[in-house]
Amino acid sequence: MNRYLKLLFAIIFTACILAYSNLFQFHGYCSYVNSEKQIFENSTSPEFPKNLKLRDKTLENSLEICRGDNLKECIPPLMKYKQLYRTSRPNNLVACVIEKTFSTFLTAIMCFLHDQKAFRESNRTLESDIYGERLCKDKNEFTELKKIEKWQKMSIFAVVRNPVDRFVSGFTDKCLREKVWRKYKSRCASCRTNLTCFVDKMYDRMMKFAKNPYKGIDFDDSHFFPQSWRCEFSSHLVKYQILQLDGPNFTDQILGLLEERGVESDGIQFINASLHYRTPHSTQDSVERATVEETVLNSPYLLRKILQMYYFDFLLFGYRLPDIPVV
Ligand SMILES: *[C@@H]1O[C@H](CO)[C@@H](O)[C@H](O)[C@H]1NC(C)=O
Ligand SMILES: *[C@@H]1O[C@H](CO)[C@@H](O)[C@H](O)[C@H]1NC(C)=O
Ligand SMILES: *[C@@H]1O[C@H](CO)[C@@H](O)[C@H](O)[C@H]1NC(C)=O
Ligand SMILES: *[C@@H]1O[C@H](CO)[C@@H](O)[C@H](O)[C@H]1NC(C)=O
Ligand SMILES: *[C@@H]1O[C@H](CO)[C@@H](O)[C@H](O)[C@H]1NC(C)=O
């Protein structure tokens, strides 16, 4: 039953994408546009722009960004770029991790589950199992689903995050705070701390990859390429349970999922204790981050380009497209 439900959702998703990109005239059936529906149902009428202005002088309709002729300016969804999996055999569980989306912590959780005894004996906590020195390096880690024995029989999930949030947070952490470009000149697209330059360059890189997928994993690409290009979503999206890191119940959801997979209560408590330290928002918030976010949300140029990059991530993973200010 579950499988059929998932399949149904996949069909709805696909239908919504087609609808948004205006290949067929059935937009309005996708629940998250209902509020905007009325405004846009007459979008083919020549009067449309005027009507829109009447309703709201300050906003451009972000749904229009990738529809009709505009579609070719947008980065396509569901390319196959790169994937990283962490498994826990005792729980028959596979997690796909995506950089800048809870990835270090999820890696630590999966390592803990993979071998709880070893993890505890190493005196590690989920916070101290940091990426470079992680306990499970190469032990429960895979780069393709088909390399995981009997993966079809396992549960598989991924954590996603609001695309603008992920972008802003990635730029702030890597380019402004860590300044990774000091040591590696080409990182941050050789733009150092210039946000406009970075947005332009990343857009061009994504477009280049979409037209002609290249081999070779690059630091910037890993952190900023669309989430829908990861996890072999292109062929296996329906098999996934997707959790929104910034959804209202992330902690409950992930603990619930682990309980379902047979993680005992002392294991749940071990994880819960650490999860509680780092609720998705509070810890990562900073003045710098907020400034970058404000810059992006108030710049029609930057926001439009970022939406062109991640439009389909918004739709596929159920996030609301932010409105573009008109200046
Ligand atoms: C839609 O536009 C057409 C052509 O301008 C107009 O005749 C029609 O009444 C409009 N429909 C609605 C619901 O506004
Ligand atoms: C973990 O801590 C215990 C108690 O403090 C100690 O005996 C043990 O050697 C430590 N193990 C490791 C791997 O550090
Ligand atoms: C940032 O990059 C943009 C686009 O590449 C460029 O036009 C602008 O002059 C740069 N700003 C600074 C302060 O270097
Ligand atoms: C999700 O959160 C809401 C409000 O925060 C709460 O009422 C609801 O019970 C939660 N659902 C689950 C499944 O935990
Ligand atoms: C996780 O910890 C919080 C705070 O200690 C507690 O309120 C919550 O019930 C715990 N959740 C589970 C599933 O144990």
Side-chain angles (χ1 to χ4, degrees), residues 102-144:
F102 198 61
S103 51
T104 305
F105 205 67
L106 186 53
T107 295
I109 291 177
M110 294 305 287
C111 179
F112 168 71
L113 296 175
H114 168 76
D115 190 343
Q116 292 198 27
K117 190 160 168 285
F119 196 92
R120 287 182 201 267
E121 278 171 3
S122 76
N123 295 340
R124 283 167 194 249
T125 64
L126 295 174
E127 291 86 15
S128 69
D129 187 56
I130 53 170
Y131 193 78
E133 296 140 40
R134 63 199 190 279
L135 182 64
C136 290
K137 191 172 196 311
D138 302 329
K139 289 188 183 144
N140 68 339
E141 305 185 341
F142 301 86
T143 53
E144 275 181 280

Side-chain angles (χ1 to χ4, degrees), residues 36-96:
E36 281 106 331
K37 182 179 152 196
Q38 284 189 318
I39 307 177
F40 304 116
E41 65 191 1
N42 216 5
S43 56
T44 46
S45 122
E47 241 122 80
F48 173 62
K50 233 190 296 168
N51 290 343
L52 180 64
K53 278 225 166 97
L54 272 181
R55 278 165 200 266
D56 196 334
K57 283 193 173 61
T58 57
L59 299 175
E60 179 189 342
N61 174 18
S62 39
L63 278 172
E64 289 297 312
I65 280 187
C66 298
R67 291 185 52 199
D69 282 349
N70 297 335
L71 182 60
K72 61 181 182 302
E73 309 284 316
C74 294
I75 304 297
L78 299 171
M79 302 282 301
K80 191 174 172 195
Y81 167 60
K82 169 192 177 182
Q83 48 281 325
L84 299 171
Y85 301 104
R86 316 286 187 231
T87 63
S88 166
R89 280 285 158 202
N91 308 103
N92 235 351
L93 189 61
V94 183
C96 176

Side-chain angles (χ1 to χ4, degrees), residues 246-264:
D246 33 21
N249 281 335
F250 177 68
T251 308
D252 293 338
Q253 280 187 354
I254 193 165
L255 291 177
L257 185 151
L258 298 180
E259 259 170 40
E260 237 170 65
R261 301 312 311 161
V263 180
E264 314 253 337

